[in-house]
């Protein structure tokens, strides 16, 4: 069963706290992504990972960093969260033209 | 600058009616185009992918067209059901490999009423 799993699904953090969003996939895909989705906008690419320890900035990397130490696991880290990072975060993995998305993590920074 | 424009932004139809969603894009190159369905609070689920210069696909009550010359795609939903209520997102891939980028539209919110 092809699946991308995100944890947690919902998270509330105070401004300045650190945030860890986790993503796992069971398809051995090399490429994984982190996106954020805000109302009225298309998904925006934060980071892309081509394999273990092979990560590249996307279009909006500022304020975020990532970690990929195993192929099946990709983490998004917010050091000192800001209120404008309140959003829904999606992880995805892909192989050629196929792409699979997780169910998203709704992060609220207060 | 937005490279994938979807219209309408939102649409209300009665159950059983047909509807058409539009996607215009300026992404170059345009290797493929995919339509996703996103239920409220959920992830994106792929409905169909179009690849050829002029392509057509069909997946149950969903059918789609792509014209790469016009950089235009349509998604047709036939005999809508209440469960079709969702946001439909058009995504253009500029390559068919992991080196490519996906370009997302903001989505069309479809509401199906009884």
């Amino acid at each position: 069963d092809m699946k991308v799993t995100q944890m947690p699904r919902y998270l509330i953090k105070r401004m300045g706290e650190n945030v860890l969003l986790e993503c796992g996939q069971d398809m051995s895909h090399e490429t994984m992504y982190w996106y954020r989705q805000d109302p009225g906008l298309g998904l925006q690419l934060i980071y892309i990972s081509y394999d273990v320890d092979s990560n590249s900035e996307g279009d909006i990397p500022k304020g975020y960093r990532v970690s990929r130490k195993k192929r099946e696991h990709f983490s998004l880290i917010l050091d000192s969260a800001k209120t404008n990072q309140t959003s829904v975060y999606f992880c995805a993995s892909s192989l050629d033209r196929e792409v699979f998305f997780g169910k998203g993590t709704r992060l609220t920074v207060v | 600058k937005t490279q994938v424009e979807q219209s309408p932004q939102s649409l209300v139809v009665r159950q059983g009616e047909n509807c058409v969603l539009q996607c215009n894009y300026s992404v170059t190159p345009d290797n493929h185009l995919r339509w996703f369905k996103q239920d409220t609070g959920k992830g994106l689920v792929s409905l169909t992918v179009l690849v050829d210069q002029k392509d057509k696909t069909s997946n149950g009550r969903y059918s789609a067209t792509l014209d790469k010359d016009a950089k235009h795609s349509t998604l047709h939903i036939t005999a809508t059901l209440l469960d079709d209520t969702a946001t439909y997102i058009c995504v253009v891939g500029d390559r068919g490999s992991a080196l490519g980028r996906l370009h997302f539209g903001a989505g069309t919110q479809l509401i199906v009423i009884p």
Side-chain angles (χ1 to χ4, degrees), chain A residues 9 31 37 59 90 96-97, chain B residues 31 34 38 41 96 98 101 104:
Chain A
R9 294 292 318 281
T31 306
Q37 184 180 38
D59 299 319
F90 285 98
D96 298 328
R97 294 192 184 105
Chain B
N31 178 272
R34 189 180 292 272
Q38 184 180 27
R101 287 286 186 97
F104 291 80

Side-chain angles (χ1 to χ4, degrees), chain B residues 42-114:
Chain B
K42 299 285 179 64
L44 282 68
V45 176
S46 178
L47 295 174
T48 190
V49 62
L50 302 117
V51 176
D52 295 334
Q53 195 72 16
K54 293 193 194 301
D55 205 352
K56 288 185 181 180
T57 61
S58 183
N59 177 11
R61 293 180 299 103
Y62 300 104
S63 61
T65 66
L66 173 62
D67 182 344
K68 287 189 178 181
D69 292 329
K71 291 189 179 291
H72 177 72
S73 176
T74 60
L75 177 69
H76 298 246
I77 307 176
T78 303
T80 52
L81 303 172
L82 297 179
D83 283 348
D84 291 333
T85 294
T87 297
Y88 292 83
I89 298 175
C90 172
V91 182
V92 180
D94 57 20
R95 295 191 199 186
S97 70
L99 297 176
R101 287 286 186 97
L102 299 176
H103 303 264
F104 291 80
T108 290
Q109 186 180 22
L110 174 66
I111 299 171
V112 181
I113 59 174

Side-chain angles (χ1 to χ4, degrees), chain A residues 13 15 20 24 55 69 72 93-94 105 109:
Chain A
K13 287 287 193 177
M15 197 167 55
L20 173 65
N55 307 317
K69 297 301 182 186
E72 63 270 20
S93 73
S94 74
T105 295
V109 183

